[in-house]
Amino acid sequence: MDTAALEAVARSVRTLTMDAVEAAKSGHPGMPLGMAELGALLYGEVLNHNPRDPQWENRDRFVLSAGHGSMFLYSLLHLAGYDLSLDDIKAFRQLDSKTPGHPEYGHTPGVETTTGPLGQGFANAVGMAVAEEMLAARFNTPHHRVVDHYTYVIAGDGCLMEGISSEASSLAGHLGLGKLVVFYDSNNISIEGSTDLAFTEDVAARYRAYGWQVLSSDAYDIEGIRAALAEAREDSTRPALIILDSVIGKGSPGKAGSADAHGAPFGDQEIAATKEAIGVDPQELFYVDPRAREFFARRGDELARTQEEWEKTFQDWATANPGLHAQWKEMLQGGYRELLKDIALPRYTPGDTLATRQASGAALKAVAAVLPNLVGGSADLAPSNNTALPDHGDFTRDTPAGRTVHFGVRELAMAAIANGMALHGGLRPFVATFMVFSDYLRPAARLSALMKAPVTYVLTHDSIFVGEDGPTHQPIEHVEALRTIPGMVVLRPADAEETGEAWLMAMEQDGPTALALTRQGLPVFPKADPAWRESLRRGAYLVQEPAGEGLPEVVVVATGSEVSLALNAAELSGRAVRVVSMISRERFEAQDEAFRRALLPQGVPVVAAEAGVTSGWASITGSRDRVLGLDRFGLSGPAAQVASAMGFTAEALADLIKSV
């Protein structure tokens, strides 16, 4: 990329950014102005991508972790030739525009992940680099490399302050992710002022301790950046952090280098002064340098040819490796769905007793044996979560084809890394921890739902029946909190049979699923609905119907471990009780009225039981007074004693049944 073209692109990024933010009367101009030269270099020379085919499997991934600087990305996508017009730029931050305030995955061509919550994009990029390593080990042969690309990131001071980046960086260094390159926009400015107010650590020393390459350059020394990049790519055993000393709001006479440049429009006067300083007519709005247009027209043709060359290599590889090609179709082109029917789940009979976490482990192994794209692991709890895949090896720097990832005690980064793995394509990741620690990973789980990333959350030890570990480890509000995330499918299976089906439901889902699983053993019970597996997918089904004809006196709706509790309580109550297992309240409530009324007849009182907060259940029972739940923290002691002390027993539920 020649100097004149680079300067033209950087100039255009600055003008488009200032005018778009000013038109919107909101936005963050400082980062795009400060990193404009790097953006020109990335999209003009470094990235291997094709704007005419944004989903090309072997493209380099670029993640703007500092997502508040979204106009940086939008400007470059527009200039590079993605389907993002100048009118789209002019509609920045407007309703229904393709240029929302922060980049959104699936909304704007060329945006690889939703960023904005600082540090999460960084961790997503680690997941993308993990996915590249896994898929390269699976598909590349001595004669053909069909998976061979880099993941690039721009992270700011705020990203590196967030704990999630520390978690993700530590794991990335341990795994030796040599195709991950992070540019650190080190401008020493945060919203409150200089970063010296709160951030004075030696970042370079920290990353060396993580096992990263640490390189540096002035952000405006293009040859220095090129040299750093070349050095980074020569080392295939370590991720690279390239520290760029930059100036926020670069080019602005009155705001460059100050906190004022970060998050507010410059105003007409300062924009005019900045345009004059960079050689643009102040009267020009949304100016694009013609040399930038000319350059990217040529560059677009070059990149299209690069993909064409890869496709020739791919066809040669496919011909030579039909088995691998079939697996490619399964993993990267959605063919795994055709394999779901081949999964042989473990069989159980009424009276068998085991914890749903154990049943989950058995189901996971059955699913993994058939679906080659299922990968994942636990936050150092695999023996308790039952999530190891011993038949498929561990993913390490020496064994990248392994399918079990050891995330360490890093719940938040684990979930965000899984998001990146899912978004990369080719993989269906799962992650696992105790239910109570879903609080630690919730911000990433929320983004799973926002992006419809198909991540399965295996959350065990789901209630006070954790017992002796006490209230710090006994979830109370957590299942309900997960239900409040739009698009998160929360499944709380009631026995081993339901648990196996829950895993299939998770694999069928285009989006995230949370499995709430027990520590304690639960009995497998008979099911009155002969088509219960189909009904389960609609959220609920009939477990037990009272003898005789006509309507029941009471319907008891329960989830998870409380279904067997409800069966005991129904017998103790002496009333004609129908028992319904509701694996997913949200799915049930989304069904048509006929289905819902068939299970919960009009005029028949409904009681609910769940070992958690009662909020949310009034939509089923009509009143929280008809819910056996727990609106207080637990106690430390053996599980049965804790339940008795807290009044959470079959006898208590029977009394509630008799009272309605």
Side-chain angles (χ1 to χ4, degrees):
M1 185 180 192
D2 62 68
T3 301
L6 188 147
E7 291 175 346
V9 174
R11 185 179 300 113
S12 301
V13 169
R14 290 189 170 100
T15 55
L16 290 174
T17 293
M18 288 188 294
D19 287 342
V21 171
E22 186 65 29
K25 301 302 179 187
S26 73
H28 299 77
M31 180 271 163
L33 270 66
M35 287 281 100
E37 281 77 9
L38 176 64
L41 186 66
L42 283 173
Y43 277 84
E45 180 178 309
V46 175
L47 289 178
N48 194 23
H49 65 125
N50 184 4
R52 299 169 194 174
D53 184 4
Q55 298 304 311
W56 173 33
E57 292 97 330
N58 199 44
R59 68 192 182 278
D60 288 337
R61 271 60 170 181
F62 171 70
V63 174
L64 182 65
S65 186
H68 55 274
S70 56
M71 270 308 303
F72 169 91
L73 182 54
Y74 299 149
S75 298
L76 289 160
L77 292 175
H78 167 69
L79 294 169
Y82 284 83
D83 183 18
L84 197 68
S85 69
L86 194 59
D87 285 339
D88 293 324
I89 298 293
K90 292 177 180 179
F92 177 57
R93 288 191 163 221
Q94 303 309 298
L95 191 64
D96 296 328
S97 77
K98 292 166 73 172
T99 49
H102 291 83
E104 296 181 22
Y105 173 76
H107 188 79
T108 309
V111 171
E112 299 285 2
T113 181
T114 297
T115 56
L118 293 178
Q120 289 219 46
F122 192 125
N124 294 162
V126 172
M128 293 175 187
V130 167
E132 195 275 343
E133 293 267 5
M134 283 186 167
L135 295 171
R138 193 83 66 93
F139 292 111
N140 289 346
T141 69
H143 303 291
H144 302 96
R145 295 185 63 83
V146 292
V147 180
D148 187 10
H149 55 264
Y150 282 82
T151 302
Y152 297 98
V153 184
I154 292 181
D157 292 297
C159 293
L160 296 196
M161 290 187 211
E162 290 283 0
I164 186 174
S165 298
S166 298
E167 292 181 18
S169 298
S170 175
L171 185 59
H174 168 75
L175 293 172
L177 300 178
K179 288 191 172 180
L180 173 64
V181 178
V182 177
F183 295 96
Y184 170 25
D185 174 16
S186 180
N187 59 41
N188 300 310
I189 292 295
S190 61
I191 291 175
E192 294 182 357
S194 169
T195 53
D196 289 345
L197 290 168
F199 190 56
T200 54
E201 67 189 42
D202 188 337
V203 171
R206 172 156 66 106
Y207 273 80
R208 289 190 186 98
Y210 288 147
W212 288 51
Q213 301 178 75
V214 178
L215 308 164
S216 63
S217 174
D218 184 282
Y220 313 107
D221 176 3
I222 300 304
E223 289 307 316
I225 297 174
R226 286 188 176 117
L229 260 174
E231 187 174 349
R233 290 187 291 204
E234 283 175 6
D235 188 339
S236 62
T237 64
R238 293 183 295 170
L241 181 75
I242 301 177
I243 302 174
L244 299 180
D245 292 325
S246 63
V247 178
I248 192 169
K250 172 77 170 175
S252 168
K255 294 183 180 290
S258 74
D260 290 343
H262 171 77
F266 281 1
D268 292 338
Q269 186 174 345
E270 186 62 25
I271 290 175
T274 305
K275 287 181 178 178
E276 286 185 0
I278 63 176
V280 174
D281 182 353
Q283 301 303 312
E284 289 269 10
L285 291 178
F286 295 96
Y287 172 78
V288 174
D289 192 308
R291 285 168 292 187
R293 294 276 191 221
E294 294 166 6
F295 170 79
F296 276 116
R298 296 192 302 273
R299 180 65 174 157
D301 292 338
E302 293 170 2
L303 291 169
R305 286 193 294 272
T306 298
Q307 181 177 348
E308 289 171 4
E309 291 169 5
W310 176 85
E311 287 173 347
K312 291 177 184 176
T313 300
F314 182 84
Q315 289 304 318
D316 291 342
W317 167 84
T319 300
N321 303 279
L324 286 177
H325 186 220
Q327 197 170 100
W328 180 282
K329 291 179 179 178
E330 291 165 358
M331 293 178 65
L332 282 95
Q333 297 175 351
Y336 74 91
R337 290 182 179 277
E338 299 175 8
L339 302 177
L340 293 177
K341 66 182 183 305
D342 299 326
I343 296 171
L345 292 172
R347 295 294 180 183
Y348 303 98
T349 57
D352 292 343
T353 299
L354 70 165
T356 56
R357 63 170 172 148
Q358 293 174 302
S360 170
L364 170 60
K365 289 180 175 64
V367 175
V370 174
L371 299 190
N373 58 345
L374 184 65
V375 300
S378 172
D380 195 46
L381 290 169
S384 292
N385 297 145
N386 289 267
T387 49
L389 297 174
D391 294 339
H392 305 285
D394 291 343
F395 174 76
T396 72
R397 64 169 67 212
D398 298 319
T399 57
R403 290 166 62 182
T404 296
V405 182
H406 296 280
F407 288 102
V409 188
R410 303 180 179 100
E411 291 89 356
L412 178 52
M414 172 180 71
I417 288 168
N419 282 340
M421 294 165 70
L423 297 178
H424 177 281
L427 303 175
R428 294 278 302 199
F430 67 89
V431 295
T433 187
F434 291 166
M435 172 62 78
V436 77
F437 300 136
S438 63
D439 282 342
Y440 283 1
L441 57 76
R442 183 182 176 85
R446 181 177 186 270
L447 284 179
S448 299
L450 184 61
M451 297 187 286
K452 299 182 180 179
V455 177
T456 301
Y457 291 88
V458 181
L459 303 171
T460 69
H461 297 61
D462 70 345
S463 72
I464 59 166
F465 292 100
V466 170
E468 291 87 347
D469 280 334
T472 61
H473 283 55
Q474 293 170 0
I476 297 295
E477 73 278 20
H478 298 76
V479 172
E480 189 64 27
L482 288 166
R483 288 181 179 130
T484 65
I485 301 176
M488 175 68 73
V489 174
V490 181
L491 304 178
R492 192 162 185 250
D495 69 0
E497 288 188 315
E498 284 193 21
T499 303
E501 293 299 321
W503 264 103
L504 296 184
M505 291 167 69
M507 295 302 99
E508 295 161 2
Q509 169 78 1
D510 289 323
T513 305
L515 304 180
L517 305 169
T518 67
R519 177 194 186 192
Q520 75 277 22
L522 299 179
V524 176
F525 47 78
K527 296 160 178 67
D529 181 355
W532 69 269
R533 288 178 173 85
E534 290 72 29
S535 301
L536 192 76
R537 283 160 171 75
R538 303 182 72 178
Y541 70 96
L542 180 65
V543 172
Q544 178 177 284
E545 189 76 317
E549 298 182 0
L551 294 175
E553 294 180 79
V554 181
V555 176
V556 178
V557 173
T559 76
S561 51
E562 284 62 72
V563 174
S564 54
L565 187 81
L567 290 169
N568 291 337
E571 184 176 354
L572 291 172
S573 73
R575 300 189 73 180
V577 177
R578 172 183 292 180
V579 177
V580 170
S581 176
M582 190 169 286
I583 192 171
S584 171
R585 195 177 69 207
E586 302 74 47
R587 281 203 173 183
F588 175 77
E589 290 179 329
Q591 302 306 312
D592 59 77
E593 186 174 3
F595 179 83
R596 288 184 283 114
R597 288 301 178 198
L599 284 175
L600 309 181
Q602 188 86 34
V604 177
V606 178
V607 168
E610 183 171 71
V613 292
T614 58
S615 59
W617 281 104
S619 63
I620 299 296
T621 65
S623 168
R624 288 173 69 173
D625 293 336
R626 292 184 175 181
V627 182
L628 181 70
L630 297 166
D631 289 315
R632 53 163 289 192
F633 293 121
L635 302 168
S636 181
Q641 294 178 27
V642 170
S644 179
M646 298 186 72
F648 200 84
T649 63
E651 290 77 11
L653 182 55
D655 288 342
L656 182 59
I657 292 168
K658 287 186 283 188
S659 72
V660 298

